[in-house]
Structures are given as C-alpha cells and as structure tokens.
Amino acid sequence: MSVSRRALLAATAGAGAGLTVPGVAAHASDRRTTRVSFVLDAEVLDGGEQVTSVTLHTARLGRIDPASLTTGTFSVHAKATSPIPIAPGDQIFSEYDLDRAVTAIRLDRRGNIVLDLSHGEGQLGGGTLGYILSKGRNVRLDLVYTITQHAPIALRGGRPVTITRFDQGRLVNPEVDAFSYHRSGSGMKYRLYTPTARGRRPLVVWLHGGGEGASLPDGYYDNETTLRANRGALGFATREAQRVFSGAYVVAPQSTSYWLEDGPRFAPLIREIVRDLVRRHSVDPERVYVAGCSNGGYMSMKMTTVYPDLFAASVPICGVVTSLQPGGPTMITDAELRGISTPTWLVTSRDDTTVPPEPNTVHAHELIPGALMSLYDNVIWDGHQFPGHWSWIYVARNDPSIGRTHIWQWMAAQRR
C-alpha cells in the first residue's frame, strides 16, 4: 500500500508525545531515547472504514509484563483533515480532532502492544474518509495520531520502560490490502483481488457509487475509496463468498468522475479491464458477473445494454434509471431495459429517498425480461438502521433471497 502523503505526516506525528511520568523515577538504562513506531489498524464496517485499534511495535523492547498494562497507560489523540483544499463556504463531513477512547489493551502474538479503540456504526471520530459536499466525493482523510504514555510499562523481570517517541506508520487493513493496485491501458485505475484457488475462476466486477469516483480537477484519483467507503467489493472477497463462487477474482474499477456523467463513454473502458483480466489471468469468460450500487447500479444496467454478451449475470443495487434532476434526461430508456438479456437481480429499499425505487428499480424490474427483485422496507443490519439508500449492505452480506436461493448462489450458478 502507498504511504506517500501519510508517511510524510507520520514523520512528525507524535514527536515528543511520549512523556516521562511525573513522580516516577526513570531507570538509568532508560535515560536514552526509547523510540517506537506504530500502525493504525482499520476495518471496513457497513458504514465505511474506521480505525479500530493502534498497534505499538514494542516487541523489540523485550517481553512485556501484561500485568503492567491498563487502559490508562496510554492515551490516543486523532486528527483527520482533507487531503485537498476546501473552498470557502464548502463543507466536508467527518473531519475531526479529538481523543479516541481506549477500550482495551493487550499484547498480540508477537509481543506488540495493541490499543483497542472505541468504534462502531454511526460513531464519529474514527473514520478514514470525508465527504466533500460540493464535489459529492469521498476522500481519504490525512490521519495524524498522537500517542501519549502516562505510566511506565514493565518488562519481565520488573524493569520499567517509558517510551519517549512514537512514530506513526501506515494504515493497515488486511481486507483492503488484499486488493492489488492497477491501471488499465486507457488510464482507468482499479483494484484487484486474486483468489487462492487455481484453475479458471469467475470474475466479479464491482462498480462503485457516485461518491467514490475521482476528482480530477483537484488532482485526486486515489484508487482507495472504492474499497473503503462500504463493503460492496469486499463482500465478494470474504471467505464465505469465495466458498460460494469456488474462488473468484474481484475487480473494482474507479471512475475518473462518476458513472452517470457519461455511461456510454465509460462502458468500453470497463470492458477493456474485463478483457485484459481474462487475457492475463485465469478468468473464465463464461462466468463474469457485474454488480454495483447507485451510480454503479446504473452502470451495471448500462453495461448489459451496451455489451449484452459480456456478463453471465447483473446485480444493480438502487440503480439510477431516470434523472435525479427534475426534467433531466432518462438515463436508461424503456427500450434499452426491454432489450436486456443478461439475467438480472435488482435490489433496493422502499425508504430510499436518494434514488426512489418506483421510477428506478421497480420500473426496471417491470421491463427487464425475467428480472428478479428484492424490495426491502428499510436497511437494518446488526440492529443498526442505515439510510434507505444503502441497500448494497444486503448484497455485501448475501442477504437477498428468493425461495431458498440467495443472491451469491444465484450469481455463481449463471453462465454466459
């Protein structure tokens, strides 16, 4: 994973943040600088990526006595700011400058100290993305974490250690990091998950929502937000999904703006990526599937109108069919919908106020021959209610079903 801008910020993060505890005499051998690096551990929740813990690379100090560790031994301060300038009068949501609550402290199997941080759906102050209102874009925030030590830690044998400097390292997210970085011949960036299974395997193409595209006027094209904003692509790379598909490649292209801006122009760029993966990897061309949410739901349908023989199945989620602007043009015509021959399973929620179901998903279901549809009343997962637009959560969890067949199993059974 690239650490470019964040690595530079990290060089100054926490310099001098390690404090000698008042009233505690430092051991003679600890008068030298004790420097420790740390990484930010992240997970992508249904509502987006959050930093869930911090790992201090303390193993090299020696065997630490876990009895010397309490949740008050260290404190964590986090500051998150936009990577691009915010114009006067504009807004960015989810920037923060606050203390993160340490909920637990433990040693990992290598002997490093792990500080678990309070996090959860809807909780502010731990996210890695910010949303710029005027641009309609999620951007990866610049994160600066400062660690402060408030009491010595003890090594086995009783020697106390006070860390005098903490150096921030990279953001670590095993699920996201499993996707490699690429750029097509036409310049479109994408991330790719490669299955461990050998032989010809299916390919799932995930098309992101409007907030995860690039902002080229700002020089911002990060190839990151497609995987960090939600679990849309990650869901297909989980152990459960890989078992259903018997091992599958998962590709997440990133638009240079947003798919709805010009679907016909973006369509051949996506096809180029698919063809390149089929040529260069062990991808079964008879088992290529497309799924996407919102803007990507539109693009999933558009791809099947432009290339009727490319995909074995399509899963448009809360996809746009009619213009979201009053009086705007129809994005996919009735004739195009009637002409779709790719097996299609549509998903949406009745309380979606961003892309209303009736003129979009429900209308598409009425016209696409043989289409299936899952129409939810709202979006609730693990007891948390999300905005009605976020019905992609259900697909990422393989929840939609008709009879005894769930949506992943249905996709995996389709052949071109």
Side-chain angles (χ1 to χ4, degrees):
M1 175 185 286
S2 172
V3 294
S4 55
R5 180 172 53 248
R6 289 159 187 82
L8 295 174
L9 286 167
T12 60
L19 303 177
T20 301
V21 182
V24 178
H27 191 278
S29 63
D30 294 322
R31 290 172 184 165
R32 65 185 181 280
T33 298
T34 302
R35 186 170 179 171
V36 166
S37 63
F38 66 92
V39 295
L40 307 178
D41 307 308
E43 298 176 19
V44 178
L45 310 183
D46 288 301
E49 187 179 54
Q50 293 186 19
V51 175
T52 58
S53 63
V54 174
T55 297
L56 311 179
H57 293 151
T58 52
R60 66 178 184 81
L61 300 178
R63 296 182 63 192
I64 295 171
D65 182 357
S68 68
L69 303 176
T70 73
T71 55
T73 303
F74 300 93
S75 61
V76 178
H77 186 87
K79 184 175 183 179
T81 55
S82 174
I84 59 179
I86 303 300
D90 200 357
Q91 286 182 283
I92 180 171
F93 298 100
S94 299
E95 282 188 322
Y96 50 89
D97 188 351
L98 46 71
D99 293 324
R100 298 287 309 273
V102 178
T103 59
I105 185 168
R106 54 190 168 87
L107 295 174
D108 67 13
R109 60 186 179 84
R110 295 182 178 87
N112 295 313
I113 294 174
V114 179
L115 308 177
D116 291 323
L117 304 175
S118 177
H119 64 278
E121 301 291 3
Q123 183 170 317
L124 300 177
T128 66
L129 303 181
Y131 184 79
I132 302 177
L133 187 61
S134 68
K135 302 177 186 298
R137 291 291 178 279
N138 282 306
V139 293
R140 187 176 170 191
L141 296 168
D142 287 328
L143 304 176
V144 177
Y145 272 61
T146 303
I147 313 298
T148 303
Q149 185 175 354
H150 298 284
I153 57 176
L155 301 183
R156 296 290 176 91
R159 184 169 71 88
V161 173
T162 297
I163 301 165
T164 54
R165 176 165 174 164
F166 297 86
D167 295 323
Q168 181 175 324
R170 69 189 188 99
L171 184 70
V172 176
N173 186 327
E175 283 192 300
V176 172
D177 297 345
F179 284 71
S180 51
Y181 293 82
H182 303 272
R183 185 192 291 264
S184 73
S186 298
M188 180 172 281
K189 293 183 178 182
Y190 63 94
R191 299 288 292 271
L192 178 67
Y193 175 83
T194 301
T196 56
R198 296 182 178 181
R200 297 182 78 79
R201 298 295 159 186
L203 169 67
V204 178
V205 181
W206 173 259
L207 301 178
H208 61 76
E212 287 74 66
S215 184
L216 294 186
D218 301 292
Y220 190 82
Y221 193 15
D222 68 350
N223 209 12
E224 297 283 356
T225 55
T226 52
L227 302 180
R228 299 180 191 274
N230 56 57
R231 295 192 57 78
L234 298 182
F236 291 105
T238 60
R239 184 177 303 173
E240 296 79 9
Q242 289 294 303
R243 185 164 54 246
V244 169
F245 287 93
S246 299
Y249 291 86
V250 184
V251 66
Q254 186 177 33
S255 165
T256 51
S257 55
Y258 57 100
W259 306 121
L260 276 166
E261 182 186 51
D262 194 345
R265 178 173 65 86
F266 286 125
L269 304 183
I270 296 170
R271 182 183 63 162
E272 177 190 17
I273 291 173
V274 171
R275 285 184 165 179
D276 188 54
L277 293 177
V278 170
R279 183 175 65 253
R280 296 173 56 191
H281 298 271
S282 296
V283 172
D284 183 351
E286 302 300 314
R287 294 185 291 165
V288 179
Y289 312 105
V290 62
C293 63
S294 193
N295 254 251
Y298 151 79
M299 200 65 215
S300 298
M301 286 183 277
K302 178 59 75 173
M303 289 297 294
T304 60
T305 67
V306 178
Y307 304 112
D309 299 322
L310 184 59
F311 300 103
S314 171
V315 178
I317 309 161
C318 56
V320 180
V321 173
T322 61
S323 175
L324 299 179
Q325 303 300 324
T330 298
M331 307 311 299
I332 304 178
T333 67
D334 287 358
E336 286 178 312
L337 293 172
R338 291 191 183 98
I340 292 176
S341 58
T342 303
T344 302
W345 188 328
L346 302 117
V347 179
T348 192
S349 180
R350 296 182 192 275
D351 63 343
D352 187 340
T353 57
T354 303
V355 182
E358 290 296 332
N360 293 286
T361 298
V362 174
H363 182 69
H365 174 248
E366 292 170 348
L367 296 183
I368 298 174
L372 305 175
M373 181 175 66
S374 291
L375 180 58
Y376 289 87
D377 290 326
N378 42 45
V379 181
I380 298 177
W381 197 259
D382 283 342
H384 184 84
Q385 183 159 356
F386 296 88
H389 188 48
W390 295 14
S391 49
W392 54 79
I393 289 173
Y394 288 125
V395 176
R397 301 293 184 175
N398 195 27
D399 188 74
S401 65
I402 295 176
R404 296 184 177 180
T405 302
H406 284 258
I407 198 163
W408 292 353
Q409 283 78 1
W410 174 83
M411 291 174 68
Q414 307 303 314
R415 300 291 187 275
R416 191 177 65 178

